[in-house]
Amino acid sequence: QVQLVESGGGLVQAGGSLRLSCAASGRPFATYALGWFRQAPGKERNFVATISWNGARTDYADSVKGRFTISRDNAKKTVYLQMNSLKPEDTAVYYCAADELYRRVLSPAYWGQGTQVTVSS
């Protein structure tokens, strides 16, 4: 079992930046693949970014490439999402997720409760 708690969401103007954090507890964090997903009002939850257990591999949705960066600190059991050049269409609830296998991280076993990000125009 892995427990995930997101933080760092808030209200920001377009063009601004936010850094989301997700703190984990439970089974060895360092062995898990991690991801960030988001869900806008009235829409499905979608993949944003994923990172392998050692950080060697990262993947991003086309809509955030070049603006968002996922990273992890295994010693702190935390995964981050640095979001720059934010746009109003980035407004969503952002979820942290984890799975034992990178190939399953798009359908992860564990989810956080989410943190709201609102980008004003």
Side-chain angles (χ1 to χ4, degrees):
Q1 285 282 350
V2 175
Q3 293 78 44
L4 304 167
V5 179
E6 302 95 335
S7 61
L11 174 64
V12 63
Q13 288 188 332
S17 298
L18 280 176
R19 188 176 80 156
L20 304 183
S21 299
C22 174
S25 60
R27 293 192 61 182
F29 174 84
T31 64
Y32 276 70
L34 302 165
W36 287 96
F37 297 74
R38 67 186 181 186
Q39 186 169 20
K43 296 187 177 181
E44 294 183 348
R45 186 158 52 187
N46 291 320
F47 149 74
V48 174
T50 52
I51 187 166
S52 61
W53 69 274
N54 61 356
R57 178 176 176 174
T58 57
D59 291 287
Y60 295 91
D62 288 343
S63 59
V64 307
K65 281 181 181 177
R67 300 189 299 122
F68 291 11
T69 302
I70 188 171
S71 61
R72 64 190 294 164
D73 186 331
N74 287 344
K76 294 182 178 179
K77 296 185 178 181
T78 302
V79 60
Y80 304 97
L81 186 67
Q82 178 67 44
M83 305 186 294
N84 298 329
S85 302
L86 282 161
K87 304 175 181 179
E89 52 263 43
D90 294 318
T91 295
V93 177
Y94 282 71
Y95 297 90
C96 173
D99 200 279
E100 292 181 346
L101 299 177
Y102 194 78
R103 60 181 172 85
R104 292 198 313 231
V105 75
L106 294 184
S107 297
Y110 306 103
W111 293 93
Q113 84 289 349
T115 186
Q116 176 70 46
V117 172
T118 303
V119 184
S120 63
S121 57

